[in-house]
Amino acid sequence: MPRITQEKIKKQTKKPPLSSPPLKGSSSVIANHSTPSKPYRLAHTTSHDGMTTVDVRGLSIGGNHVVIMAGPCSVEDEAQIMAIARAVKEAGATVLRGGAFKPRTGPYDFQGLGKKGLQLLKKASKETGLRTITEVMDPRQVDLIQEYADMFQIGARNMQNYTLLREVGRTKHPVLLKRGMHSTYKEFLLAAEYILAGGNPNVILCERGIRTHVSELRFTLDLNAVPYLKQETHLPIIVDPSHGTGRRDLVPAMSRAAVAAGADGLIIECHTDPAHSVSDADQAISIETLEQLMREINTIVGAIGRTVATL
Ligand code: PEP
Ligand code: MN
């Protein structure tokens, strides 16, 4: 058998170059950190003094205030988004949601208004003062969306799109990262870690329901995630009771439960004409339901020593 020299072994085991450079968190944090056993070392509670608050143009997410984000699944047209923006502002929400680029199950479903949708969101924000959140689906959309919206939403289907996570990690723009519908808490926190390690500390987690054996509902809203993640990470956690249930009649109860469980906010689909929503019509609540829910949430947050964020 030929003798294999050390040199040869070195050559054979030399790793090919990485297509993406290692992220910042890798070496420096290992060196400074006393709990290297957590693979999500930047997201872990011990890497931060107290809990993180994310500043969204002066609106703080993750502090004592509970932030309510509301709006349609999709931006449909100018009249729709302006009317909904005015109504959710009046109801007491501080962030307007609305998808301009939509991840739809079928390619023939409405895919969103794209740039036009972003322009309409900005217009609604200018008039009402609401902060805005919209989904980014592709790294090529990052610059454009950053220009128009106050927060990126990374959807459940893209939680493990590492190229996209790296791309938003290069900005300092707030990112709401939704939990994948099949993801464990560890995978969720590792996805957040990609953004943090890229240099963007402004990450907010969002529990939006997972697939379980419960076939009667669209998803199962996993509220265990809230107290569990509160112990495991310093990042704010908000809850999406709309996708988490898929049914408008279940949204108020799960919203109340989420806030009682300690969520830092809610993201709720609502519409001036819920049944005619172009996407996710079954889960959109009416403005009247939102108004009633806001009153109930105010009572619940008062009972746990918090307040609802205002503009
Ligand atoms: C949405 O917010 O409309 C959406 C598509 O959410 P998710 O990624 O959680 O399905
Ligand atoms: Mn939706």
Side-chain angles (χ1 to χ4, degrees):
M1 219 170 94
R3 273 190 60 191
I4 301 171
T5 62
Q6 278 298 105
E7 201 48 43
K8 260 188 186 161
I9 293 173
K10 256 193 200 158
K11 254 188 196 160
Q12 281 165 3
T13 55
K14 204 174 162 204
K15 288 195 181 115
L18 293 170
S19 53
S20 309
L23 291 165
K24 268 189 205 154
S26 3
S27 56
S28 56
V29 181
I30 296 174
N32 299 337
H33 214 273
S34 55
T35 52
S37 58
K38 292 289 179 183
Y40 40 85
R41 50 184 70 94
L42 296 177
H44 191 253
T45 324
T46 49
S47 82
H48 197 268
D49 233 359
M51 301 304 256
T52 284
T53 57
V54 174
D55 179 77
V56 182
R57 271 204 301 129
L59 173 73
S60 195
I61 301 184
N64 197 43
H65 305 302
V66 173
V67 173
I68 308 300
M69 311 180 186
C73 179
S74 305
V75 179
E76 298 169 13
D77 56 52
E78 180 163 352
Q80 176 247 19
I81 196 67
M82 295 308 289
I84 295 175
R86 291 178 195 125
V88 304
K89 166 90 190 283
E90 192 63 27
T94 43
V95 181
L96 175 68
R97 63 148 290 147
F101 296 97
K102 296 300 301 178
R104 302 306 302 280
T105 305
Y108 310 122
D109 296 336
F110 175 62
Q111 304 287 309
L113 296 182
K115 186 172 177 180
K116 178 73 189 155
L118 298 177
Q119 289 166 336
L120 293 175
L121 268 184
K122 187 142 193 172
K123 184 169 180 190
S125 170
K126 270 207 171 126
E127 187 193 297
T128 58
L130 291 166
R131 310 304 188 258
T132 56
I133 179 166
T134 199
E135 179 159 352
V136 55
M137 288 174 57
D138 186 301
R140 290 165 293 187
Q141 296 163 348
V142 166
D143 290 345
L144 180 73
I145 292 178
Q146 185 172 0
E147 208 182 300
Y148 284 95
D150 296 311
M151 293 173 78
F152 293 123
Q153 172 176 320
I154 298 214
R157 291 155 193 80
N158 273 314
M159 190 203 83
Q160 289 182 309
N161 181 340
Y162 300 115
T163 314
L164 181 60
L165 298 175
R166 282 175 184 272
E167 203 57 33
V168 297
R170 272 195 255 281
T171 75
K172 291 278 188 267
H173 214 55
V175 183
L176 180 100
L177 176 66
K178 287 189 145 194
R179 179 182 175 192
M181 60 188 84
H182 305 283
S183 302
T184 63
Y185 299 140
K186 183 176 168 185
E187 288 161 348
F188 191 15
L189 289 169
L190 282 169
E193 189 77 12
Y194 265 90
I195 306 171
L196 297 172
N200 187 350
N202 300 310
V203 180
I204 298 151
L205 304 174
C206 177
E207 164 58 40
R208 50 78 70 207
I210 52 170
R211 283 253 158 92
T212 66
H213 63 276
V214 177
S215 56
E216 291 83 352
L217 298 174
R218 189 176 185 194
F219 295 103
T220 298
L221 187 62
D222 174 21
L223 287 183
N224 289 349
V226 176
Y228 177 86
L229 291 170
K230 281 278 163 204
Q231 291 183 21
E232 204 58 19
T233 180
H234 52 87
L235 298 172
I237 297 136
I238 77 146
V239 169
D240 174 348
S242 307
H243 295 84
T245 59
R247 269 175 47 171
R248 78 175 110 265
D249 57 334
L250 304 184
V251 167
M254 296 315 285
S255 300
R256 295 190 298 263
V259 169
D264 297 303
L266 299 169
I267 182 162
I268 302 173
E269 288 188 346
C270 78
H271 202 287
T272 43
D273 187 0
H276 293 105
S277 303
V278 170
S279 53
D280 286 350
D282 294 343
Q283 67 197 35
I285 61 169
S286 66
I287 300 301
E288 295 69 33
T289 304
L290 179 68
E291 288 167 350
Q292 171 64 20
L293 180 57
M294 290 299 291
R295 287 190 282 276
E296 295 164 354
I297 287 169
N298 263 293
T299 307
I300 294 166
V301 301
I304 54 174
R306 302 180 83 173
T307 51
V308 172
T310 51
L311 284 181

